Amino acid sequence: MNVMAKAEKKISSAFIYFFGSFGGILFGYDIGVMTGALPFLQADWHLENAASLVGWITSAVMFGAIFGGALAGQLSDKFGRRKMILMSAIVFMVFSVLSGVSPDMGEASAYYLIIVRMLLGLAVGAASALVPAYMSEMAPAKARGRLSGLNQTMIVSGMLLSYVVDFLLKDLPGEWAWRLMLGLAAVPALILFLGVLRLPESPRFLLRKGDEAQARKVLSYIRKNPADIDQELASIKETAKEEQQANQKTSWSTLFSGKYRYLVIAGVGVAAFQQFQGANAIFYYIPLIVQKATGQAASSNLMWPIVQGVILVIGSLVYMWIADKFNRRTLLMVGGAVMGLSFILPAVINWMMPNMNPMTIVVFLCIYVAFYSFTWAPLTWVLVGEIFPLAIRGRASGLASSFNWIGSWLVGLIFPIMTASMPQEAVFAIFGIICILGVIFVKTCVPETRGHTLEEIEEQGTNRGRVKASNPEN
């Protein structure tokens, strides 16, 4: 036991935050890797005219993630955050390797890969839910706000890493290129596993299990001022007690009661709009988009994902700089408006000037990604973390996450089907209209949360509920 204590004592807060962030890199890598692998996979398995199969192969991970996040949340309350992160890393490693060694059996190969990637998605969804939760429970209260921006930076850094790997492997024989791209996703999962092996369990989970001595010991590793430990332990106990009482008094129907309906619709709506606005269509299919616009082979357009990745990383850093300088609603509405115009204008220009430069659409896509990267991408989860009252926070956050993954899955699935049946400009114009609808939704249905306490935000929902009750025709 003394050896264990000494080993844990050496763990620095920087080490803990690094591997919390590394979970974001793992998540981002898997989001981005299919972007480069898909053109080679299509050529190797002759799927150029199989839009539905391409959509399913690409979106299968998001479909699995819908269930992975919810399942991991429940299991982590029973077995602990740390153990479930380790389990997720193992599942991620196994199914990344199985993706890379997919057998070549004709059309059956596609179904094999879809199933394997769905199972991989369980780990992706789990990691996306577990790692930020673990980090928020380990970090001091004053650092939790910045961690949401840091997590977004690590996710897009993981995406950029996958784009670079794809580019470096593009000159290999086609069947080897896509297999290595998918299989190498096991490497960051292995690094995460080895890192988390050295991490302690979160104090919050330890207190839930009645192990106050160990919780105190863990806090002593990551808090500089010993006087703060007793205060934090008391605060954790009080919050856990309130959450337990809240869970006993609430059900799924509570989410849509008059008092909470306004805030639930606002939080879940923003989470859903973030995906239905079409960002993942760019992230997953940019080489194919450029191919359709220019006629150049998709496998020769793997520099464009790197350009998108660099924009995403820079945008995430811009967000960390401006996060507390502008209202949430302002950033979401400005970002959504520019994103919508970036999708709609190419269709308008193409209608007015049928011979426009085909790269025009790609330039507008870069503008879209830039504004998405410092508005809707990070702010969605900041707002979801702030908007739900304690009594419904667990269920409402889970519902928002599920709608977000459903949107991600549907966009990945239907985009190749849509572009196979209509011009690309028209497809993006549809997403542009959704962006504008998102702006209208934020203006009419989402309260401002910056600078407001959780109690003040809850009061806004309560007041809105009273207004609706007194004016039922509205």
Side-chain angles (χ1 to χ4, degrees):
M1 183 69 179
N2 290 335
V3 175
M4 175 76 73
K6 288 180 180 177
E8 291 184 347
K9 186 69 174 179
K10 296 178 182 178
I11 301 173
S12 67
S13 58
F15 184 91
I16 293 172
Y17 300 153
F18 175 80
F19 278 99
S21 300
F22 205 90
I25 289 179
L26 177 70
F27 177 30
Y29 186 97
D30 199 76
I31 290 176
V33 70
M34 185 54 79
T35 303
L38 191 57
F40 297 99
L41 175 62
Q42 280 184 297
D44 189 27
W45 284 358
H46 308 292
L47 299 176
E48 290 86 350
N49 298 314
S52 295
L53 281 178
V54 169
W56 269 107
I57 290 171
T58 304
S59 64
V61 165
M62 288 79 80
F63 185 80
I66 295 171
F67 307 97
L71 185 64
Q74 296 181 25
L75 292 177
S76 70
D77 285 340
K78 183 176 182 180
F79 299 109
R81 284 49 162 155
R82 176 181 170 275
K83 287 182 181 178
M84 289 308 302
I85 293 172
L86 289 171
M87 183 60 66
S88 298
I90 292 171
V91 173
F92 200 103
M93 280 188 281
V94 169
F95 289 104
S96 293
V97 171
L98 290 178
S99 296
V101 298
S102 300
D104 194 347
M105 304 178 297
E107 189 171 303
S109 301
Y111 295 109
Y112 165 89
L113 188 54
I114 289 169
I115 293 171
V116 167
R117 283 177 57 75
M118 282 183 183
L119 295 172
L120 175 61
L122 294 175
V124 172
S128 69
L130 290 170
V131 173
Y134 176 83
M135 287 293 293
S136 69
E137 293 178 5
M138 297 297 285
K142 63 183 180 181
R144 285 173 191 156
R146 293 196 303 273
L147 282 175
S148 62
L150 178 60
N151 188 54
Q152 176 66 18
T153 300
M154 290 302 141
I155 290 173
V156 295
S157 296
M159 294 172 67
L160 177 58
L161 175 64
S162 72
Y163 298 151
V164 171
V165 169
D166 289 347
F167 183 80
L168 294 176
L169 296 177
K170 69 182 176 64
D171 293 325
L172 291 176
E175 64 174 316
W176 281 103
W178 71 264
R179 292 180 185 278
L180 275 174
M181 291 172 185
L182 297 185
L184 284 175
V187 175
L190 176 62
I191 295 172
L192 177 66
F193 179 84
L194 295 175
V196 175
L197 276 178
R198 293 195 58 215
L199 300 186
E201 184 53 84
S202 83
R204 186 181 182 120
F205 175 78
L206 292 169
L207 276 177
R208 270 189 172 184
K209 295 301 179 183
D211 194 348
E212 183 171 344
Q214 186 64 21
R216 182 181 296 275
K217 187 182 295 184
V218 171
L219 281 175
S220 72
Y221 305 153
I222 56 179
R223 300 292 183 265
K224 293 181 180 180
N225 188 351
D228 293 339
I229 295 176
D230 288 335
Q231 182 178 352
E232 186 161 351
L233 283 172
S235 177
I236 293 172
K237 286 180 184 178
E238 181 62 27
T239 301
K241 182 180 178 181
E242 291 176 0
E243 287 184 349
Q244 185 177 14
Q245 292 174 347
N247 289 335
Q248 290 173 350
K249 296 178 181 178
T250 61
S251 63
W252 283 104
S253 61
T254 309
L255 270 61
F256 301 100
S257 66
K259 181 178 180 179
Y260 299 121
R261 185 188 304 120
Y262 167 57
L263 298 177
V264 171
I265 290 174
V268 173
V270 168
F273 267 111
Q274 186 206 45
Q275 290 301 328
F276 284 110
Q277 289 168 335
N280 280 346
I282 303 173
F283 303 147
Y284 297 139
Y285 297 111
I286 186 64
L288 300 179
I289 292 169
V290 177
Q291 174 182 291
K292 192 160 186 177
T294 65
Q296 300 172 356
S299 57
S300 66
N301 288 315
L302 296 188
M303 181 57 74
W304 280 105
I306 295 178
V307 172
Q308 305 289 346
V310 170
I311 293 173
L312 283 169
V313 172
I314 294 173
S316 70
L317 296 176
V318 169
Y319 167 74
M320 293 179 71
W321 177 53
I322 67 171
D324 295 321
K325 298 180 180 180
F326 298 95
N327 285 342
R328 316 287 194 234
R329 279 164 41 95
T330 301
L331 288 174
L332 287 173
M333 288 189 288
V334 170
V338 175
M339 287 155 54
L341 290 174
S342 299
F343 275 162
I344 293 171
L345 284 177
V348 175
I349 294 172
N350 187 57
W351 173 65
M352 297 175 65
M353 302 168 53
N355 296 321
M356 78 171 186
N357 188 320
M359 289 303 292
T360 301
I361 189 172
V362 180
V363 173
F364 276 103
L365 293 186
C366 290
I367 296 172
Y368 173 99
V369 171
F371 276 81
Y372 175 81
S373 67
F374 67 85
T375 58
W376 282 82
L379 274 171
T380 294
W381 301 113
V382 173
L383 192 140
V384 165
E386 294 173 334
I387 202 169
F388 298 129
L390 178 64
I392 60 167
R393 189 171 301 154
R395 286 186 173 90
S397 297
L399 187 64
S401 179
S402 294
F403 268 84
N404 188 264
W405 279 116
I406 290 169
S408 179
W409 165 59
L410 284 174
V411 169
L413 175 63
I414 67 174
F415 181 77
I417 300 172
M418 293 172 71
T419 55
S421 58
M422 66 179 76
Q424 273 193 151
E425 292 84 358
V427 175
F428 284 121
I430 292 171
F431 285 129
I433 292 170
I434 295 174
C435 290
I436 300 302
L437 292 175
V439 172
I440 296 170
F441 177 82
V442 170
K443 183 171 179 59
T444 58
C445 300
V446 178
E448 181 55 56
T449 60
R450 171 178 170 259
H452 293 282
T453 66
L454 296 180
E455 291 73 21
E456 289 171 344
I457 296 168
E458 182 172 351
E459 183 63 23
Q460 291 185 61
T462 302
N463 292 339
R464 185 68 170 252
R466 289 172 183 157
V467 171
K468 289 290 185 181
S470 60
N471 298 282
E473 68 276 7
N474 294 332

